[in-house]
Amino acid sequence: MGGLGHLFARPEPREVFADLVEGLLSDLGRKNGWTMAGRAGHATPHRIQKFLGEASWSADGLLAAVQAYVARELGDPGATLVLDDRQVIKKGDKSVGVAHQHCGTTGDVRNCQVMVMLTYAAARGHTFYDRRLYLPQSWTGDRERCRAARVPDEVAFATKPQLDVATLQGAVAGALPFSWVAADADDGKDPALRSWLHERKIRYVLAVPVTLPVQGPSGKPYLPKVAAAGDLLHYATVREQWERRSQGEGSKGQRSYDWTWFEVTLPGQMPADGFAHQLLIRRSTEKKQLAGGRVDFEHAYFLIHAPATDPVTEAIVRAGVRWKIEENNELAKQTTGLGQYQVRRWTSWHRHVTYAMLAVAFLTVQRARHPDPQPEPAAEPTGQPTGPDPADEGKAQATAGRNLFP
């Protein structure tokens, strides 16, 4: 807190800010104006409400401080920028940006707000780096409604991918070190986002829908025509060349899948010079019950944009990094009250979300500075052989050369 005092012209807002951040980092079950006011010894939430809605300080100034903190403590040239959005369920129609729209939390359409988030995932940790509030056209097309929520007049409608590009532009302008971008299918299908990344020669692995227009495999004119990503599943099934690899460790252990890939071209959209496009197909290791009661393997598709000399295995790892933003969402939801706000206006929303981001970043940096001690390796049993099992060596020789990827 000592390094952030310059954001406030008077001591009173500085004190309330400290109370709020300490409240977010505390063990309170619910973290809203009333509970944090009570913890800080305030008779009512009035001081907190005034701080969020009326006090003179800049949420963007605080965001810049959070971003500098993240870059300084976690900066890594090999990091991944992860794009995603999260939803906060809300009642009524007064809260800024609230509308009946798709809610990823519940998987259906309901009354909620949508925030577009950028996560910085580095070797030492991962945390939020930027945020944007999505305003549906039902809001931006009603300027009186926007003014009632104190939305600045210059704020116009922007799609979620356009907001994502704005966060990426900020990261690039701030010289944040990174090497890959990862995103879900809502972003992966957007040609404008892909073009922006192509122009800047940025590596990416984007989840894409089965309907994404692609052409390939090249050099096989006698095979069935490929017009979309899903058409390549036929080739993958006939070829039956899959390699099992993990996308990283999850709450239930390693997230292992079977993978195959094809060189593809995107109609009307060339990769950057020296780069190429590949389409990854991910298959579940076992058959599952899918929609409609059908039992089959579950598949997902990822578009890669990377130098032709890069191993595809790197993209598999980066595709797994995309889940880091889900871990951030859970930490922010369960620990720092990111979605437990009771604010309705544009300014107060940005202020709350930004100091909640500060709390998440602080916890991430502390974990990086003070990692859990590694357990001592188990001692070898006495009297037992320690070399490789000859049977295992035989299995390894039998499967040698079957790897699909370098």
Side-chain angles (χ1 to χ4, degrees), residues 69-380:
Y69 177 61
V70 170
R72 182 175 67 252
E73 297 289 343
L74 304 177
D76 176 6
T80 304
L81 296 183
V82 188
L83 300 166
D84 202 0
D85 55 75
R86 72 183 305 270
Q87 297 77 34
V88 178
I89 299 171
K90 289 292 178 181
K91 297 179 180 179
D93 60 0
K94 303 299 183 184
S95 297
V96 61
V98 71
H100 286 279
Q101 51 195 329
H102 176 72
C103 180
T105 304
T106 59
D108 58 8
V109 175
R110 62 177 57 208
N111 217 44
C112 63
Q113 290 170 310
V114 177
M115 58 181 82
V116 171
M117 307 297 288
L118 179 65
T119 280
Y120 188 65
R124 300 186 69 224
H126 50 87
T127 189
F128 295 121
Y129 184 81
D130 204 351
R131 80 289 185 264
R132 295 288 193 281
L133 177 62
Y134 171 69
L135 292 182
Q137 288 179 310
S138 59
W139 273 84
T140 56
D142 186 343
R143 298 318 302 182
E144 289 302 318
R145 188 184 189 191
C146 285
R147 291 189 184 100
R150 305 289 175 85
V151 178
D153 287 340
E154 63 270 19
V155 175
F157 175 74
T159 65
K160 295 172 191 175
Q162 286 172 336
L163 295 176
D164 284 326
V165 168
T167 66
L168 292 173
Q169 287 174 330
V172 171
L176 181 69
F178 70 96
S179 60
W180 283 78
V181 169
D184 64 13
D186 283 341
D187 294 312
K189 67 183 181 183
D190 187 77
L193 172 61
R194 296 196 304 265
S195 292
W196 189 91
L197 295 167
H198 294 168
E199 291 168 4
R200 287 152 185 82
K201 303 189 72 170
I202 294 175
R203 293 174 172 88
Y204 65 65
V205 53
L206 308 177
V208 294
V210 296
T211 56
L212 180 77
V214 299
Q215 295 174 348
S218 59
K220 306 285 186 181
Y222 55 87
L223 292 175
K225 181 180 179 181
V226 173
D231 296 336
L232 286 166
L233 183 58
H234 166 77
Y235 291 85
T237 303
V238 171
R239 185 173 72 178
E240 196 58 25
Q241 291 181 321
W242 301 86
E243 181 169 331
R244 186 160 300 178
R245 287 185 177 271
S246 172
Q247 277 194 288
E249 189 169 358
S251 58
K252 298 180 181 180
Q254 293 294 324
R255 295 187 175 107
S256 294
Y257 295 92
D258 293 331
W259 300 84
T260 193
W261 68 279
F262 298 90
E263 293 184 5
V264 296
T265 58
L266 301 183
Q269 193 167 55
M270 298 298 294
D273 290 343
F275 281 54
H277 281 128
Q278 290 92 26
L279 189 85
L280 271 175
I281 302 179
R282 187 185 74 190
R283 185 181 73 178
S284 59
T285 57
E286 298 178 354
K287 292 185 177 181
K288 300 182 178 182
Q289 185 165 344
L290 306 178
R294 182 169 60 93
V295 176
D296 201 349
F297 291 107
E298 188 176 53
H299 297 92
Y301 300 81
F302 300 86
L303 181 67
I304 305 169
H305 177 252
T309 55
D310 279 11
V312 178
T313 49
E314 179 66 18
I316 293 176
V317 173
R318 302 292 175 161
V321 173
R322 188 169 61 91
W323 280 316
K324 297 300 184 183
I325 202 164
E326 298 299 332
E327 296 177 15
N328 285 350
N329 287 339
E330 195 63 23
L331 175 64
K333 177 182 177 182
Q334 300 293 339
T335 306
T336 65
L338 180 62
Q340 297 177 15
Y341 49 82
Q342 296 172 315
V343 296
R344 290 185 174 182
R345 294 176 175 174
W346 175 269
T347 298
S348 52
W349 183 91
H350 283 82
R351 288 175 172 181
H352 171 86
V353 170
T354 307
Y355 66 67
M357 288 171 57
L358 170 64
V360 175
F362 174 79
L363 293 176
T364 302
V365 170
Q366 294 311 305
R367 182 179 296 169
R369 289 180 176 178
H370 310 285
D372 293 333
Q374 296 297 316
E376 294 292 331
E380 291 284 351

Side-chain angles (χ1 to χ4, degrees), residues 11-26:
E12 293 86 352
R14 195 176 304 130
E15 292 171 2
V16 177
F17 178 63
D19 290 339
L20 282 170
V21 176
E22 289 177 6
L24 293 181
L25 294 171
S26 73

